[in-house]
Amino acid sequence: MAAASPWDAASAPNAAGLLLGHFVASGIVTQEMLNISKKSAPCFVNFSRLQHITNMQAEINEKNLEIELLKLEKDTADIVHPSFLAQKCQTLQSMNNHLEAVLKEKRSLRQRLLKPMCQEHLPIEASYHSYLVHLLQLAVTFIERLETHLETIRNIPHLDENVKKMSKALAEMDILVSKTEELAENILKWREQQKEVSSCIPKILAEENFPHQQDATTPPLPLTSKVNVQNVNAK
């Protein structure tokens, strides 16, 4: 229960209350003056507010520090967290054991590496034999075409230059084809002319060697045939 205010005249009577009541009754002190004296001073109110703000700021700073610590712990969890450290230690221990086993069997491993890899086989289950055959076929095909693939890869930087060379070669090939066609037509014409000449030569020889066998009614061969034969021979 809150203690009675000595400034309140309505509270339980005491020495201060009786004195204040006497002052009010005599008119030395009015009730308004007593009421004003009850109000707390504004400076103390501001001090309490400032203290409250300071406490809140300190609490905020403390929370921010906790947040930063949590972020740091999250970022370095894989380094400092016990579970991660235990896992890393276990991995390192297994690697160490493996290296120790290799060092112990160093001589036998060296001998196995020096032995030729002939008459060796790997145990494979029967259900995987068909896949292994297919895999070997792919490997053989890849090895056969490996040099071609490597050559193609080497030629990739010179692809533009090779395309230009191919275009130039195609143009030259077109020119050669047209010249070949023209030459073939000339050869055919020459063959036709040779056939005509071959057909005319026996007649000319017959006229020159056996003129008496000719019939009087049969007109002689025109002179133009001889001229044609001479022109053809000249050609």
Side-chain angles (χ1 to χ4, degrees):
M1 185 176 179
S5 176
W7 304 99
D8 191 2
S11 60
N14 53 18
L18 294 174
L19 181 60
L20 289 175
H22 179 70
F23 287 157
V24 171
S26 61
I28 299 173
V29 178
T30 62
Q31 188 65 37
E32 289 78 6
M33 294 174 66
L34 294 176
N35 294 333
I36 293 172
S37 64
K38 291 180 182 180
K39 295 180 180 180
S40 59
C43 60
F44 295 105
V45 175
N46 293 331
F47 278 128
S48 62
R49 290 178 180 176
L50 181 60
Q51 184 66 30
H52 182 66
I53 292 171
T54 304
N55 294 336
M56 290 181 65
Q57 188 66 37
E59 186 177 357
I60 291 171
N61 293 334
E62 185 179 357
K63 297 297 182 183
N64 289 332
L65 182 59
E66 292 179 359
I67 291 171
E68 292 295 331
L69 291 175
L70 290 174
K71 288 182 179 181
L72 182 61
E73 184 179 358
K74 180 181 178 182
D75 295 336
T76 59
D78 56 342
I79 301 174
V80 300
H81 201 276
S83 61
F84 289 101
L85 291 176
Q87 186 177 0
K88 289 185 178 182
C89 290
Q90 185 178 1
T91 305
L92 291 174
Q93 187 64 34
S94 62
M95 292 176 62
N96 190 21
N97 294 334
H98 178 70
L99 291 175
E100 287 180 356
V102 170
L103 291 175
K104 287 180 182 179
E105 302 294 333
K106 181 174 66 175
R107 181 174 297 178
S108 61
L109 289 174
R110 183 179 296 175
Q111 292 177 357
R112 288 180 60 184
L113 292 174
L114 292 175
K115 286 176 59 178
M117 299 296 294
C118 61
Q119 298 180 355
E120 296 285 343
H121 64 278
L122 296 175
I124 299 175
E125 297 181 5
S127 58
Y128 299 111
H129 286 181
S130 59
Y131 300 105
L132 183 62
V133 171
H134 182 62
L135 180 62
L136 290 176
Q137 292 176 354
L138 293 177
V140 171
T141 305
F142 176 77
I143 293 171
E144 289 177 352
R145 300 178 181 177
L146 179 61
E147 189 64 30
T148 305
H149 296 332
L150 292 176
E151 188 66 24
T152 303
I153 293 172
R154 293 192 195 101
N155 292 332
I156 286 175
H158 308 286
L159 187 60
D160 295 336
E161 184 178 357
N162 293 335
V163 169
K164 291 180 181 178
K165 290 182 180 179
M166 289 179 64
S167 301
K168 186 178 179 180
L170 288 174
E172 293 178 355
M173 189 179 294
D174 292 336
I175 296 172
L176 292 175
V177 168
S178 61
K179 289 183 178 180
T180 304
E181 292 177 353
E182 184 179 358
L183 182 60
E185 292 178 358
N186 293 333
I187 291 172
L188 292 175
K189 290 180 181 179
W190 181 78
R191 285 183 179 179
E192 293 294 333
Q193 291 177 358
Q194 291 296 320
K195 287 181 181 179
E196 292 178 358
V197 171
S198 299
S199 63
C200 293
I201 286 174
K203 294 180 181 180
I204 295 171
L205 293 176
E207 289 178 357
E208 291 179 352
N209 295 330
F210 305 101
H212 61 279
Q213 294 182 1
Q214 290 182 356
D215 190 10
T217 59
T218 304
L221 291 172
L223 296 176
T224 57
S225 63
K226 295 181 179 180
V227 174
N228 290 334
V229 171
Q230 293 176 357
N231 292 333
V232 171
N233 291 331
K235 289 181 180 180

